[in-house]
Structure formats: structure tokens, C-alpha cells
Amino acid sequence: MGRGPGVAAALFYGAVAALVLLGVRDVLFLYEENRCSMTYMYEYPEYLKIKLPKKISRRFPAYELYLYGEGNYAEENKNLLLTGIPVLFLPGNAGSYKQVRSLGSIALRKAEDVDFKYHFNFFTVNFNEELVALYGGSLQRQTRFVHECIKVILKLYKDQEFAPSSVAIVGHSMGGLVARALLTLKNFKPEFINLLITQATPHVAPVMPLDKYLTDFYTAVNNHWILKAQDVRNLTTLSVAGGFRDYQVRSGLAFLPRLSQHSRALFVVSSAVPRTWASTDHLSIVWCKELILATIRALFDLIDETTKQITEDPKKRMLVLNHHFVRHPAKFFEEDPETLTELKGTLIWMKIKSSKWTYTVYNESDGKYFMFPLSNHRKTYSHVHCQNSMLDTSSWIYGCSDNSSSMCLEGFDLSWKAELLPTVKVVTLKLQEYPSLTNLVVYVPAINGNKFTLDCEFFKEDSRTVQLPVTHLFSFGLSSSKIVLNSTGLIYNVQLQHFGQIYQAFKIYIESHCQPHKGRKTSVYRLHIPWSHEDSITVSKVPSFTEISAKLHIAQPENDSTVAVLNIYSSSDCQYEVTIKTSFSQVLGQVIRFHSGSLPVYVISNMLLAYGGQLSALISTGHCSDFVLALGRAAKPYKVDPFVNVVKFLLGFNWFKDIWNVLFLPELDAVLLNKQDMWFPLVSLILFLFGTGIAYWGGILFSSSLRLLSSLWLSLTRPTGLPKDSKLMTPRRAFMAILLVFVSCTTCGAFAILIIYLHYIFKVIKLHSNVRIEQNVLNMDPKHSKGTSDNSNKETVKNCDSAETITEAAAASPTTNTAIDNVVNSLKIHVTIINLLTWIVLLSLPSLIYWFQNLRYNITLDPDPCRTMAIILVSTLGILMNSSTTKVKSSKLSKIAVQLPLPLSVAVVAFGPMHLYRVPYFVICSLLLHVLCCIV
């Protein structure tokens, strides 16, 4: 009977853990296969180190500037007589300066194709592979170094005929943020950069806000770009995200804050980039051949023939970027294309009167024009759609205003209205928008050996647009919505109604049924998201059964009334059945994708509730529950979530906001998350339960490890017996605390925290070992055998640290009961404190790694985000690890100590998700009061 609740708890938390793992699995493993081709160098890559002024080298000893080259090009540039266009590559978090080689090599091949009429010089910065995504202390230093590099680079060209006045920057990951931060420097001239391309850069917020320097840096950069827009008026910015394959930086973070309507800023996901159409992971985005080709083509199209540098015209820059990254018409870029074109009257002209037309071309000896009179079609149809499977860059479709019924002498080139897809180029025209056109003309060139197909059809928009309501978020895939497209046609638009939230995730099944046809084309399915450039394209053979995942990177804005659409570019002889159902595993994946960085907050909030429950049981009954049992009793979401949601609601009123500001309270993190469309109460509840499950199994794991380590310790040493009440502070302990404070101030705070943490674990291992020995002694003593059955109903501990039998054995001997009881209570409290400290150590670990990596340059971490926390923790834990529960029970502050963990757990959830560095201080507050209870 006694084991029932324990088994039920294990089953419940096992189910919670399974849900967490299901979400993690979806994020880390269930994404599209890598469709990127590897970029290869044709010659051995070389990196020429640029000698910097001594003053700069002394200020930034860990950083270096290089020029990329290969073969003869590298040899020619060793004297640094450069004549090209400077491009500076900035690596990201733990990134290498050698990642520039893909861009540099393809740019060199492209320059060779144009006989070096134009070429680019790719520079790259060595940031010593610093962990700037997790430690923000060096971001400002990196920014200042890049500023110096730009000035050095521009000086290299000062004597050239076409000397550049600006540098184009390509920034990967955090390198893109550093590039944006240049504009915040007082002495930086905005005209130094006119083009910025960022790859998988988290612009909106840090992935893990682990220190104040990181969040302050983000705030400064984003506020500057919003409040001082005049500094970026001449800067064109392109942000490319990797899509769902990039689980390190979710694509929503790459969206430029409040700049989406800015005429000189563009955000796009790699899966939507023409001729790429592939999601990239966080590293492959710098070498994905298809994406790098698009980038290099854009760079060459940006060159001004007069200055032989990147154009100063911001309008042209945006036209080029839209051409290569948003909508590609399958034509070479032209700034002002000639729309009126002379048509050849000497070729064969054929008039087509039918509303649907297909023409297959093979070994065409003479070119042909197919002319579609529009007068009759305008009365019946609203649109015309044409497809061409010949993926060349020549013009192929025209509109003419001639009244002649046999041919047109001139035509408006409508090929610029086309769009390139993986297997076809398509154009859809609304007839009402071209009232002056009398004929539509399709041109078939003379070819030899190539086979391609042309299709055109006139249709009513209503007949090709269908609405499909998505299934409810909590239908768990048990229900589905289905439509059947009975009529045959070349294009269908399936509007996915009520699909606009980031937590929605669906599986779309498309089943095609086709008539027998030998040379049937493939079908192209495009999931089009109109409020952001995050389309995904799937190519499928027909007939087939195709599965498509539908989920969002960016939620639909409140003032946006557009609808997500599934475009089906089909075969004319096929019928389609479209089914959509909620994917529960992908919904969990979206929760993990958007909120995994907040999970430590909810874990620690649960642990604080368990800690408060232990203290409450200790004061009320004299016995302390173990961590896992206390977690199950005290960690309830209704203690935390309602308060946070009520405060968030009240902050919508000005009077409450004024009171909030008078109290100098920071902005509620739920409000910040709501601004990013990432907050609603149910998700907070889910995250709380996830945090409970992680805390539970973390406690089980630690207890098992403690038992194992104590057994190992007993096999190596002799036990010293139970500890006696001693002074909380001795000269030796004081010296140890002072020494660790000195270590914190002179080296790294996280290093001191790790030392005191390991020391604490060692003390608990010894304590656990001594209690186990005492238990064995009591069990072997025949004088104490009788009392065991009489006291068998004492509190027991399940699946933790073997304290169950310890407590029962202690109860068997009245003479030793109190002493062992106090030691067991103290052991349970120490175990909970170590569980809390484990998360503090994990949150401070990045600064420790950063300090260790840069130890050869400076023994002191500056700035150090953990120094203050380390000084407080060292002093607190020095007392706490030698304390017992005896003094806590009799303390005047015990009632306050029991009540404090609850408001602290609420505060952790209220102020921690977007500011993880605050969380340890809430834990420290509770530990400080515990120390005071031991003293007062």
C-alpha cells in the first residue's frame, strides 16, 4: 500500500519525461534530409594574415585579420596590392575564420568566368572561436575590433583607381549581430558599410540569455536600429535563416526586429530561396553550395559598372536581393528591363482558341509563336496560368495590344512576371490587370535534342481556390480535414484557414490519382506563408502519396488578414485529395523549439517549491521529506502560473503599470514573450510540468549517483562516525572562504562556484557514507532489534538515497533516534541544495569555458558576469554545508524561511525566462535566509 503513491508519481513523471523527449526528438532528428551540396575548393585555400598596427594588436591580442586566397590569386595578393571589392566575413559563436572559404572560392570561380572584369577580396576575422552566444562579455570587444579592421581594409585600397569607401559584410550567427552593433559605436561612420548579409543570426534575442552583458548588448543594438533609423537609411540588410534543420538558432530569431516593413531590410528562410529550396543547419548555411551561389550571384549583380564597387543605390540593392532571394523570374537580373520587345513576323504563328493547351517540344527546327486571343476568354475567365519546363533564362511569354488577328509585331515581355520553381517556371496573370492586352503570345524557340513541355489554361479564380480549415490544436491527430480536387487543372490554391500560431503543427497528406500517361511531369507543392518569406517546396512524382509538415517560424501578426496557402502546381490529368491533421509530436517539438531555453527556469521554480515543502515539513513535524517526495507534494502549477498571468493581465491597465514602475520592478518576461507572440497561459502550464518531470528524474539520478559515490568512498576509506554539532565557521573554513573569494576576484567567478560546488558534494558524500555505516551498526545490534516493528510506520524515502532504512533503523534505538534523525534531515536538505546548485553551475558554465579558452591571454575574466554571485555563494555555502537542521527548527526566522521559497519560485517564472542570469540570485536569496536561520 505504501508504495502506491510512489509508483503513481513515477508513472506520471515518466509520462512527462516521455513528452519532453518526444518534443526534443522532433526538434533534433525529425526534419528534412540535407539537400545542400558541399562546396569544394579547386585549389588549396590560403589565409594571408594582415599585419595590424601594434596599438590594435596590443588591445586585441586574441584577434586576427586574414585575406582569403587560392593558387595564383593568393600569390598575387601577397603584396596586398588589392584591386577588388572588399567583403568582410565575421564568424559566429565558436566559429572559425576559415569558414569564409566557401564564399571566397565560389566568388573566385565567378570572377574567372568574367575574366576578372570584377572580383571580390574576401577578408575574414579570427575571433579565437569565442563562445559569444553564451557569454556576452566579449561582444563589445569584438565590435570594436571589427571597426578597426574595416579602417585597415579600406586603407589597403587608398591608392587604387576605384578605391572603395565601404565594405560589404557577411556575418554568420553572432557575427551578424556584431556587424549590426558597429552602428552603436560613437566613432563609427555608417557609410563604412552599405551591405550586410547575415546567416542564421539571432537578431531578436539571445538563444540563451545567460548573462546581463549579453541581454544589454542585444537591447542596445536593437534599440539603436529602431530609434536611430537614420543611421541605417543607406544600409541594405539581408537576414537568411536556416529553417527547421537549424535547431541551434530557430529561424524566428533571425527576423530583423521591427524592420520587416523597412524598405532596405529583408528576411528570408533558406527553404524559400529560389534555386536553393533547402533547409540548412547552423553550420551548413556557410557552405551550402546552392545558397552560396545565390549569395555570390547577388554580389556580382550589385556591382556598379562605373565605380566597379557595390552600388550606392539602395533601391537597386533591394531589387537585386529580391531577385535572387525572394522571387526569381528565371531571367538574368536587369535593373530596368525592356518590357516592349519586337516579335519576329517571319516565324510560324499559330492561333489557339481553346481554354486549355499543352505543347510538347522535341527537336524543334523552327521557332514558333502561339497566340491566344483574350477577348472571348475575358468574358468567362478571370486568370490565365502558364507553365514551362524549359528552365533557361530567355523570354518566353508576351502580351500584345495589336488588333491583328494573325500576328503581333511588338509584345510586352511578361516573362518578368514568371516565377522559377524546381521543375518549371510558372506565370499567373489576372486578366483584369491587363485591360489593354488583346493577345497572349507564347514563344517556342528552335531547339535540338531538348525536350520540354508548355501548358496554358484560362480559369476562374473561384474554381481553383478552396478553403480547408485546419484541425484543432488538441485534436491529437485523431480527427482530420479533407478536400477532394475533382476538376483537373494546372494550379490549385488550398487556403489553410485558422493557421497562424507558432504552436500549431500539422501533417498534410496529398494523394494524387492520375490517368495513364507515359511522359507525365512531377507535381510541385508549395506551402506559402504570406506574412514572412518562409515558404517550403516539395517536389513529388505522380501518382503518389506525399506527406508535408506544416508549422511556422513566425506567428501571423495581429493586423495581418492574409491566409497561409498550399499551392499545388499539378499535372493536368491528375486529381488530388488533400488531408490535414494535427501532429501532436510536432506540436511538442514547437514548444521545445520556442521555449527550451526557458526550461531551466521552470526546473528551478519546481525545486524551490520542493525546498519550501521540506522546510515546512521540518518545522511542522520535525521530520524532513526527501527531495523527490517533497517535489511531488509541493510542486503544483496552481501555486505559480495564476499569479504570473494575473500580473500580466493587470499590467494592461495604466494604473497598475504606474504602481509597478514606482516599485522599480523590471518588465515582466511574460509581457516580452507576448510581444514576440510566444506566450499564452497553457504553454506556461506545459513548461511547468516539463520542469517538474526534469526535476524529478534529475533528483532520482543525483540520488543514485550519491549512493554509488558513497559506496565507492566507503570502499576507499574508514568512516569517521556521525558529525557532531560544531561551529558554523572555524578559522580554517574562513580561510577557505576568503581564498575562494580571492579566486573569484582574480580569475573567474564560475571557477570559484565550481570549486565550492565540488567541495559541497564531497561533504555530502562523506555524510551519506557515515549515515549508512551507522545504519549498519544499528541493524547488527541485537539490543535494538525489537523496536524496528514498533516504528515501521516512520516516514520512509522511496527511490532516493537509501534514507528509508536509515530512518527506520534510527527509530529502532531511542537513545540514538534524535541524533540520527537530525543528521538524516540535514542530509535531505543538503541533497536539495545541491540539486539547486547543479543548475546554478550549469548556467555559469559558459563563462567558465570562455575563461579557460582565453587563459593564455588573460588570467582574469573581464568582464565577469558571475563574480558577484560567486562571492555571495562562496560565503553562503561555506556556512551552509556545515549546518544542521537542529538550529533551523529552533530559529526565530524559521517561519519566514518556510514561506519565502514560494514567492521566489513565482519570481523565477515571472522574471527569468528572458533573463536566465537572474535565476541564481533568487535561489541565493532562499539560501541566505537558510544561513540566517542557522545563526539567529
Side-chain angles (χ1 to χ4, degrees):
M1 293 292 291
R3 293 189 179 274
V7 173
L11 290 174
F12 174 75
Y13 293 124
V16 171
L19 294 178
V20 175
L21 292 175
L22 197 61
V24 171
R25 175 176 173 266
D26 179 76
V27 172
L28 298 185
F29 303 107
L30 299 184
Y31 42 70
E32 68 177 67
E33 63 180 7
N34 184 15
R35 299 206 298 264
C36 283
S37 304
M38 177 64 77
T39 307
Y40 294 99
M41 284 78 248
Y42 289 91
E43 297 177 279
Y44 190 78
E46 296 184 35
Y47 305 88
L48 177 64
K49 185 176 179 180
I50 306 297
K51 187 176 181 181
L52 301 173
K54 291 183 179 179
K55 182 180 178 182
I56 298 175
S57 298
R58 283 195 297 267
R59 283 178 61 195
F60 309 100
Y63 302 156
E64 297 167 325
L65 176 65
Y66 290 89
L67 173 65
Y68 178 81
E70 294 179 18
N72 293 332
Y73 171 77
E75 287 294 324
E76 292 170 1
N77 286 333
K78 283 188 175 179
N79 55 10
L80 294 180
L81 297 177
L82 306 177
T83 59
I85 303 167
V87 179
L88 179 60
F89 175 78
L90 304 180
N93 178 59
S96 169
Y97 66 96
K98 294 182 180 180
Q99 288 173 316
V100 73
R101 60 183 176 269
S102 295
L103 283 165
S105 182
I106 289 183
L108 183 58
R109 302 285 86 76
K110 179 74 172 176
E112 290 174 350
D113 291 341
V114 296
D115 295 324
F116 280 92
K117 180 181 178 182
Y118 312 111
H119 71 278
F120 289 88
N121 302 128
F122 275 85
F123 296 85
T124 179
V125 173
N126 178 15
F127 283 137
N128 196 32
E129 301 185 8
E130 293 177 336
L131 292 173
V132 286
L134 305 177
Y135 168 75
S138 64
L139 283 169
Q140 196 67 34
R141 184 161 52 244
Q142 287 191 1
T143 306
R144 291 195 296 268
F145 180 72
V146 171
H147 182 200
E148 299 297 336
C149 287
I150 291 174
K151 291 189 286 186
V152 169
I153 289 170
L154 292 177
K155 283 181 181 179
L156 295 174
Y157 295 86
K158 64 180 180 179
D159 297 326
Q160 302 302 321
E161 180 182 0
F162 299 100
S165 59
S166 62
V167 175
I169 296 181
V170 178
H172 172 237
S173 187
M174 294 298 287
L177 188 71
V178 169
R180 289 181 61 216
L182 287 167
L183 296 169
T184 66
L185 299 178
K186 291 182 180 179
N187 299 324
F188 183 78
K189 298 178 181 178
E191 57 268 23
F192 275 175
I193 51 175
N194 60 9
L195 176 66
L196 171 61
I197 299 174
T198 65
Q199 302 170 325
T201 296
H203 291 294
V204 177
V207 177
M208 294 285 286
L210 292 174
D211 66 61
K212 193 174 187 298
Y213 304 111
L214 191 59
T215 55
D216 286 352
F217 188 83
Y218 266 89
T219 301
V221 172
N222 287 332
N223 285 346
H224 186 94
W225 276 57
I226 293 167
L227 301 176
K228 296 186 178 181
Q230 68 274 11
D231 288 353
V232 298
R233 66 182 182 274
N234 292 321
L235 173 61
T236 302
T237 307
L238 169 66
S239 175
V240 183
F244 290 109
R245 280 188 63 87
D246 188 352
Y247 52 79
Q248 295 184 46
V249 176
R250 61 178 178 84
S251 295
L253 290 177
F255 187 77
L256 290 166
R258 298 194 192 178
L259 291 176
S260 56
Q261 282 77 35
H262 198 285
S263 60
R264 298 182 183 94
L266 180 64
F267 162 77
V268 64
V269 179
S270 62
S271 60
V273 175
R275 305 172 77 174
T276 300
W277 298 304
S279 177
T280 62
D281 60 53
H282 197 62
L283 292 180
S284 69
I285 198 169
V286 301
W287 57 254
C288 177
K289 185 177 180 180
E290 290 77 7
L291 188 59
I292 298 300
L293 283 170
T295 305
I296 297 302
R297 291 187 191 112
L299 286 175
F300 273 87
D301 282 342
L302 285 166
I303 297 174
D304 188 322
E305 292 187 5
T306 304
T307 63
K308 298 189 184 300
Q309 297 294 325
I310 289 178
T311 179
E312 295 294 330
D313 183 2
K315 183 180 178 181
K316 179 182 177 181
R317 293 198 295 259
M318 285 305 300
L319 286 174
V320 170
L321 294 180
N322 275 286
H323 178 91
H324 289 283
F325 288 91
V326 178
R327 185 185 180 94
H328 198 297
K331 290 179 68 66
F332 291 121
F333 173 78
E334 294 180 31
E335 185 176 1
D336 296 308
E338 294 184 8
T339 55
L340 194 60
T341 305
E342 182 181 352
L343 303 181
K344 299 175 182 179
T346 57
L347 298 181
I348 300 173
W349 284 78
M350 302 180 68
K351 185 181 290 187
I352 308 296
K353 294 184 178 181
S354 64
S355 62
K356 183 178 294 186
W357 170 79
T358 297
Y359 186 74
T360 301
V361 184
Y362 184 71
N363 284 339
E364 193 79 25
S365 58
D366 298 308
K368 293 180 181 179
Y369 287 107
F370 293 89
M371 188 167 65
F372 299 80
L374 298 179
S375 55
N376 293 330
H377 293 309
R378 288 184 185 278
K379 300 175 184 178
T380 311
Y381 305 106
S382 62
H383 288 71
V384 59
H385 173 84
C386 292
Q387 297 181 0
N388 187 348
S389 63
M390 185 176 181
L391 304 181
D392 63 347
T393 58
S394 59
S395 296
W396 61 284
I397 186 167
Y398 305 89
C400 68
S401 303
D402 294 357
N403 292 321
S404 172
S405 60
S406 59
M407 68 174 63
C408 295
L409 299 178
E410 289 183 327
F412 295 97
D413 190 353
L414 299 176
S415 305
W416 292 100
K417 302 292 183 180
E419 183 174 10
L420 181 65
L421 295 174
T423 59
V424 291
K425 47 188 179 184
V426 301
V427 61
T428 303
L429 303 174
K430 188 175 183 180
L431 297 179
Q432 189 178 353
E433 294 178 355
Y434 302 90
S436 62
L437 297 185
T438 58
N439 295 280
L440 184 72
V441 179
V442 175
Y443 172 59
V444 177
I447 61 169
N448 184 18
N450 290 329
K451 183 177 181 180
F452 66 95
T453 303
L454 286 161
D455 296 276
C456 286
E457 67 169 350
F458 292 84
F459 63 90
K460 281 186 177 180
E461 185 179 19
D462 294 344
S463 67
R464 299 301 170 83
T465 303
V466 294
Q467 296 178 338
L468 180 64
V470 299
T471 50
H472 193 271
L473 182 65
F474 295 105
S475 62
F476 302 107
L478 300 177
S479 62
S480 63
S481 292
K482 180 187 296 186
I483 57 166
V484 178
L485 307 175
N486 289 317
S487 61
T488 58
L490 296 176
I491 182 172
Y492 297 96
N493 299 311
V494 181
Q495 296 181 345
L496 304 178
Q497 293 183 306
H498 316 301
F499 178 35
Q501 299 299 320
I502 56 175
Y503 302 106
Q504 293 175 297
F506 306 97
K507 287 184 178 180
I508 301 175
Y509 303 99
I510 305 175
E511 188 172 2
S512 56
H513 305 279
C514 306
Q515 299 173 5
H517 192 283
K518 186 176 180 181
R520 186 177 295 111
K521 300 176 297 185
T522 56
S523 289
V524 178
Y525 311 126
R526 177 172 66 178
L527 181 63
H528 175 58
I529 310 300
W531 55 84
S532 64
H533 301 296
E534 55 175 284
D535 296 4
S536 59
I537 292 180
T538 304
V539 179
S540 177
K541 294 181 180 181
V542 289
S544 65
F545 183 82
T546 305
E547 178 183 313
I548 300 173
S549 292
K551 48 194 175 185
L552 298 174
H553 298 290
I554 297 173
Q556 184 175 15
E558 290 183 4
N559 57 353
D560 193 299
S561 59
T562 56
V563 182
V565 180
L566 174 66
N567 302 128
I568 299 178
Y569 299 95
S570 61
S571 294
S572 57
D573 58 347
C574 291
Q575 295 180 346
Y576 294 84
E577 184 180 282
V578 182
T579 306
I580 186 169
K581 59 173 61 178
T582 299
S583 174
F584 181 60
S585 63
Q586 292 188 62
V587 170
L588 293 174
Q590 288 292 83
V591 172
I592 296 297
R593 178 175 285 106
F594 282 84
H595 294 286
S596 57
S598 302
L599 282 177
V601 168
Y602 289 90
V603 174
I604 292 174
S605 177
N606 276 278
M607 287 182 171
L608 283 171
L609 290 175
Y611 176 60
Q614 284 181 310
L615 293 178
S616 177
L618 180 67
I619 301 303
S620 59
T621 66
H623 296 285
C624 179
S625 306
D626 81 290
F627 171 72
V628 171
L629 193 60
L631 185 72
R633 291 173 177 172
K636 306 297 181 185
Y638 61 78
K639 295 182 179 180
V640 176
D641 267 356
F643 181 83
V644 175
N645 290 315
V646 167
V647 171
K648 177 181 172 293
F649 172 75
L650 291 175
L651 282 171
F653 299 96
N654 290 328
W655 63 268
F656 188 81
K657 191 180 294 184
D658 292 338
I659 296 173
W660 190 270
N661 294 331
V662 168
L663 296 173
F664 297 102
L665 292 171
E667 189 171 11
L668 199 71
D669 280 12
V671 174
L672 296 174
L673 289 168
N674 192 56
K675 290 177 181 178
Q676 298 180 22
D677 298 313
M678 290 174 56
W679 176 269
F680 63 85
L682 197 58
V683 164
S684 181
L685 172 63
I686 293 171
L687 291 173
F688 189 92
L689 293 176
F690 283 2
T692 311
I694 294 171
Y696 177 88
W697 292 107
I700 295 290
L701 178 63
F702 179 77
S703 298
S704 301
S705 302
L706 181 62
R707 190 182 311 153
L708 180 65
L709 291 171
S710 65
S711 299
L712 182 62
W713 178 254
L714 286 174
S715 66
L716 297 175
T717 62
R718 288 185 177 183
T720 56
L722 292 177
K724 299 178 181 179
D725 286 340
S726 60
K727 296 181 179 179
L728 293 174
M729 186 60 67
T730 63
R732 181 180 176 184
R733 294 169 184 168
F735 174 77
M736 184 68 178
I738 293 171
L739 180 62
L740 288 178
V741 168
F742 178 77
V743 169
S744 302
C745 295
T746 56
T747 58
C748 172
F751 183 48
I753 292 173
L754 181 62
I755 293 173
I756 195 73
Y757 171 72
L758 294 176
H759 185 207
Y760 202 154
I761 289 179
F762 178 67
K763 295 271 289 187
V764 171
I765 290 172
K766 288 175 60 178
L767 181 62
H768 189 274
S769 303
N770 291 332
V771 170
R772 288 180 65 180
I773 289 297
E774 189 67 22
Q775 168 226 337
N776 291 335
V777 171
L778 287 173
N779 287 340
M780 290 187 294
D781 191 346
K783 297 178 181 179
H784 301 145
S785 59
K786 181 181 177 182
T788 303
S789 59
D790 297 332
N791 295 278
S792 60
N793 293 324
K794 283 282 185 179
E795 177 192 4
T796 61
V797 180
K798 305 293 187 288
N799 298 322
C800 188
D801 55 3
S802 300
E804 173 186 1
T805 52
I806 295 173
T807 307
E808 290 176 352
S813 175
T815 58
T816 59
N817 181 41
T818 303
I820 295 185
D821 223 15
N822 289 333
V823 173
V824 170
N825 288 335
S826 299
L827 178 61
K828 293 173 182 177
I829 290 290
H830 288 315
V831 167
T832 301
I833 292 173
I834 287 181
N835 275 298
L836 285 166
L837 287 177
T838 300
W839 284 94
I840 293 179
V841 170
L842 290 175
L843 293 176
S844 64
L845 204 56
S847 62
L848 176 65
I849 297 172
Y850 179 90
W851 168 75
F852 186 76
Q853 284 183 335
N854 291 271
L855 200 55
R856 64 182 181 274
Y857 301 108
N858 199 338
I859 195 173
T860 304
L861 180 63
D862 183 35
D864 187 351
C866 300
R867 184 167 295 150
T868 303
M869 178 173 64
I871 293 172
I872 300 172
L873 266 181
V874 163
S875 307
T876 303
L877 297 180
I879 297 174
L880 209 55
M881 70 175 64
N882 299 295
S883 65
S884 68
T885 54
T886 307
K887 295 180 179 179
V888 175
K889 287 189 286 187
S890 59
S891 173
K892 298 177 181 179
L893 302 175
S894 59
K895 292 184 179 179
I896 300 176
V898 168
Q899 300 299 325
L900 186 62
L902 176 58
L904 287 177
S905 66
V906 174
V908 165
V909 173
F911 302 111
M914 299 288 287
H915 303 83
L916 285 177
Y917 62 87
R918 293 173 179 168
V919 174
Y921 291 97
F922 293 116
V923 177
I924 289 172
C925 287
S926 190
L927 298 182
L928 279 172
L929 188 57
H930 192 144
V931 169
L932 290 176
C933 287
C934 296
I935 299 173
V936 180

